[in-house]
């Protein structure tokens, strides 16, 4: 665990951080060596495991590292304590294996929520998984006594395949807490409702309206400032109401870029029940989460998320010795032609589209640029259902031959029949 700054942390928190870091290192020295019991939830593949530990956000001069440092610099400059030291602690090497309780239960995510499905997450077994978001570490850090912190790391989700989706991407999550006395000094009125009754659209039942508005104002000013820090002072911003199980009220921040509104982050006021279980019931706080890959693609004009995983010197040299504030426009190293093959099959009642996407990615790796559903068909007499997809193959560093593609495509067909129980048409 790396901690760039530990200013103003209580002794208890420092001891807990050292204890947590040591226990993780002993129990899970590396995922490749970690032995775990499998069950019917197990779906972490060797391909995914091979990407664990790459930590592109910590690779010097990598565009994701530059974006991480840009965010850090903003918070270091915007939030300083009485002695002039930054008040935000930075965590950028938290272990990606978490418990299901950390990833879901601690954040009040319902047992039947769609995000828990095997088709959406990578599970070692029913109790352990690769984190699906950095928010999975929120409660444990608050329990350590931390009030202000940023977390950077890789997260893992089974998803569709296109130029903006990859099974591993990188997030920044942040938390800022205000103690009751601290907030009372700002608003000069009660922070919590004496007799909590019902929740409204604008606040949680435990919070006073004025306290909620103060936190909302501070959150939105902070994040609009971050957007301008990254994209320039003239960037146009707007707020959209949103829903997250772990915050209320919640919003998404959008920026206007080349005439289009783009969502850049989600945020909100932390659910009081989460703070209660973390031992911070006398606090109110805000939190946000954003994707480093998404912001870097926008900022550096990178058209394909797979590009971040390239080791081609032609890519990396464009960011070498650059600072987080430097303006860089990515120039494609080469443009190689794509190959397209269709695949059509009858499905069964248990078919999940994300299972098919993951299978295609596992076999084709980074040769897969996109998987697009082009046709659905239900037989009028038998009721059997079929799907037809176009798979786009493109190598980022050389020209693929059709023979190479056909070999991979045949392997996908055979494996889909064997693993997913489909029948190739």
């Amino acid at each position: 665990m790396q901690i760039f700054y530990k200013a103003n942390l209580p002794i208890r928190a420092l001891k807990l951080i050292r204890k947590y870091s040591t226990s993780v290192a002993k129990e899970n020295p590396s995922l490749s060596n970690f032995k775990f019991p499998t069950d019917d939830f197990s779906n972490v593949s060797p391909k995914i495991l091979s990407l664990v530990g790459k930590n592109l956000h910590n690779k010097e001069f990598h565009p994701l590292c530059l974006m991480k440092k840009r965010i850090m610099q903003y918070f270091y400059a915007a939030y300083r304590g009485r002695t002039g030291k930054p008040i935000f602690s930075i965590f950028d090497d938290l272990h990606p294996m978490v418990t299901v309780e950390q990833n879901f239960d601690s954040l009040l995510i319902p047992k039947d929520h769609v995000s828990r499905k095997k088709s959406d997450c990578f599970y070692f077994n029913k109790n352990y998984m690769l984190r699906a978001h950095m928010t999975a570490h929120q409660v444990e850090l608050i329990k350590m006594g931390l009030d202000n912190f940023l977390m950077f790391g890789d997260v893992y989700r089974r998803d569709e395949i296109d130029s903006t989706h990859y099974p591993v991407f990188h997030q920044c999550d942040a938390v800022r807490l205000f103690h009751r006395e601290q907030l009372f000094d700002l608003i000069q009125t009660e922070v919590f409702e004496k007799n909590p009754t019902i929740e409204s659209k604008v606040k949680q039942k435990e919070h006073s309206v004025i306290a909620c508005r103060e936190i909302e104002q501070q959150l939105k000013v902070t994040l609009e400032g971050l957007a301008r820090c990254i994209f320039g002072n003239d960037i146009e911003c707007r707020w959209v109401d949103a829903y997250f199980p772990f915050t209320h009220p919640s919003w998404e921040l959008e920026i206007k870029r080349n005439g289009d509104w783009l969502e850049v982050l989600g945020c909100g006021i932390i659910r009081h029940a989460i703070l209660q279980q973390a031992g911070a019931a006398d606090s109110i706080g805000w939190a946000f989460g954003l994707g480093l890959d998404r912001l870097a693609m926008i900022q550096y004009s990178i058209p394909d998320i797979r590009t971040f995983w390239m080791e081609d010197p032609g890519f990396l040299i464009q960011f070498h010795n650059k600072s987080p504030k430097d303006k860089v426009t990515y120039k494609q190293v080469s443009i190689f032609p794509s190959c397209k093959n269709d695949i059509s099959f009858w499905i069964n009642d248990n078919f999940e589209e994300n299972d098919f996407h993951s299978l295609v990615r596992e076999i084709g790796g980074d040769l897969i640029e996109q998987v697009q559903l082009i046709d659905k068909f239900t037989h009028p007499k038998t009721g059997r259902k079929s799907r037809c997809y176009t798979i786009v193959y493109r190598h980022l560093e050389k020209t693929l031959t059709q023979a190479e593609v056909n070999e991979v495509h045949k392997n996908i067909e055979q494996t889909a029949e064997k693993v997913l129980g489909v029948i190739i048409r």
Side-chain angles (χ1 to χ4, degrees):
M1 176 186 295
Q2 284 184 304
I3 304 173
F4 279 84
Y5 212 91
K6 299 180 289 187
N8 303 325
L9 296 187
I11 297 298
R12 172 177 169 272
L14 292 176
K15 288 180 179 178
L16 284 170
I17 289 170
R18 283 193 288 269
K19 180 180 179 181
Y20 172 74
S21 180
T22 302
S23 67
V24 167
K26 286 182 178 179
E27 294 173 10
N28 311 304
S30 70
L31 283 174
S32 59
N33 296 324
F34 181 61
K35 304 298 182 183
F36 51 88
T38 59
D39 56 28
D40 58 356
F41 264 70
S42 305
N43 64 1
V44 178
S45 66
K47 171 64 176 177
I48 294 300
L49 282 179
S50 72
L51 300 175
V52 174
K54 297 290 186 181
N55 294 330
L56 300 183
H57 61 288
N58 289 335
K59 189 173 182 180
E60 191 70 16
F61 302 124
H62 193 281
L64 295 179
C65 186
L66 293 177
M67 184 58 65
K68 179 191 78 171
K69 290 183 176 180
R70 189 77 176 111
I71 295 170
M72 288 170 51
Q73 289 174 358
Y74 170 77
F75 277 91
Y76 278 0
Y79 290 99
R80 293 183 175 271
R82 295 175 182 174
T83 62
K85 294 181 179 179
I87 66 172
F88 270 83
S89 303
I90 309 296
F91 297 84
D92 69 352
D93 200 18
L94 294 167
H95 204 278
M97 188 182 72
V98 298
T99 64
V100 171
E101 194 278 335
Q102 285 176 289
N103 199 82
F104 296 118
D105 300 322
S106 71
L107 299 172
L108 311 180
I109 297 174
K111 295 289 187 182
D112 59 352
H113 197 274
V114 65
S115 64
R116 290 178 180 252
K117 293 174 63 175
K118 281 178 57 179
S119 59
D120 281 34
C121 299
F122 290 101
Y123 287 93
F124 291 101
N125 52 47
K126 65 180 181 180
N127 295 317
Y128 290 91
M129 63 186 296
L130 286 169
R131 64 188 170 214
H133 47 194
M134 289 305 296
T135 319
H137 300 285
Q138 184 183 100
V139 169
E140 70 196 56
L141 293 182
I142 295 175
K143 282 183 177 179
M144 289 178 180
L146 303 181
D147 292 334
N148 309 289
F149 54 88
L150 291 160
M151 303 175 288
F152 298 91
D154 45 352
V155 299
Y156 300 78
R157 294 183 195 171
R158 306 179 83 201
D159 211 337
E160 58 190 293
I161 300 176
D162 58 32
S163 62
T164 62
H165 291 85
Y166 199 78
V168 187
F169 56 104
H170 304 78
Q171 281 188 340
C172 166
D173 262 49
V175 165
R176 176 153 168 72
L177 300 184
F178 298 81
H179 293 285
R180 182 199 299 261
E181 295 80 5
Q182 179 186 5
L183 195 52
F184 180 84
D185 290 341
L186 288 174
I187 63 178
Q188 293 298 303
T189 188
E190 288 296 329
V191 174
F192 294 101
E193 295 282 7
K194 292 182 178 180
N195 298 301
T197 53
I198 60 173
E199 184 168 284
S200 71
K201 181 179 179 181
V202 299
K203 75 176 192 70
Q204 297 175 41
K205 64 180 181 179
E206 296 88 354
H207 302 158
S208 70
V209 173
I210 296 176
C212 187
R213 286 176 178 169
E214 176 65 27
I215 299 297
E216 176 184 346
Q217 177 68 12
Q218 293 213 24
L219 168 62
K220 289 183 175 180
V221 167
T222 297
L223 295 182
E224 286 180 11
L226 176 62
R228 293 189 177 96
C229 174
I230 295 174
F231 299 108
N233 290 328
D234 59 345
I235 196 73
E236 189 176 348
C237 301
R238 74 177 182 185
W239 291 97
V240 178
D241 289 340
Y243 165 78
F244 305 109
F246 31 83
T247 56
H248 179 77
S250 306
W251 304 274
E252 290 176 344
L253 176 62
E254 297 183 345
I255 63 168
K256 199 168 190 179
R257 186 87 168 186
N258 299 324
D260 295 322
W261 286 102
L262 304 175
E263 182 236 318
V264 294
L265 59 85
C267 63
I269 298 176
I270 301 171
R271 282 282 182 184
H272 194 64
I274 292 176
L275 297 182
Q276 285 179 314
Q277 68 168 311
D282 283 342
S283 298
I284 300 180
W286 54 249
F288 77 82
L290 57 80
L292 294 178
D293 311 65
R294 180 172 178 78
L295 294 191
M297 289 178 73
I298 296 171
Q299 180 67 358
Y300 301 125
S301 301
I302 295 174
D304 194 313
I305 194 170
R306 294 176 301 162
T307 306
F308 292 123
W309 298 86
M310 288 177 61
E311 297 183 357
D312 190 317
F315 165 63
L316 298 175
I317 196 65
Q318 297 183 44
F319 300 91
H320 188 66
N321 285 332
K322 300 297 183 182
S323 79
K325 294 183 179 180
D326 286 337
K327 182 175 176 57
V328 181
T329 301
Y330 168 67
K331 296 181 177 63
Q332 286 187 291
V333 178
S334 301
I335 300 177
F336 297 100
S338 65
C339 295
K340 297 181 180 181
N341 281 22
D342 290 346
I343 180 171
S344 180
F345 47 76
W346 297 106
I347 65 174
N348 53 46
D349 293 337
N350 297 321
F351 178 77
E352 292 278 359
E353 189 167 78
N354 278 352
D355 291 341
F356 176 64
H357 283 272
S358 292
L359 182 148
V360 172
R361 180 80 78 181
E362 185 69 21
I363 295 173
D366 286 350
L367 296 182
I368 308 300
E369 180 175 276
Q370 185 178 28
V371 176
Q372 184 179 12
L373 177 65
I374 59 173
D375 184 57
K376 291 182 178 182
F377 172 71
T378 300
H379 195 283
K381 293 184 178 179
T382 65
R384 297 176 71 191
K385 298 178 181 179
S386 74
R387 298 287 186 271
C388 183
Y389 296 86
T390 292
I391 302 178
V392 180
Y393 300 83
R394 191 197 306 268
H395 201 294
L396 293 174
E397 300 174 39
K398 71 172 189 177
T399 298
L400 287 173
T401 66
Q402 190 62 52
E404 290 175 311
V405 170
N406 290 344
E407 184 176 347
V408 175
H409 197 77
K410 186 65 176 178
N411 193 2
I412 290 173
E413 290 180 332
Q414 293 173 345
T415 307
E417 284 192 315
K418 181 179 179 180
V419 174
L420 302 181
V422 302
I423 300 174
I424 300 297
R425 296 183 62 182

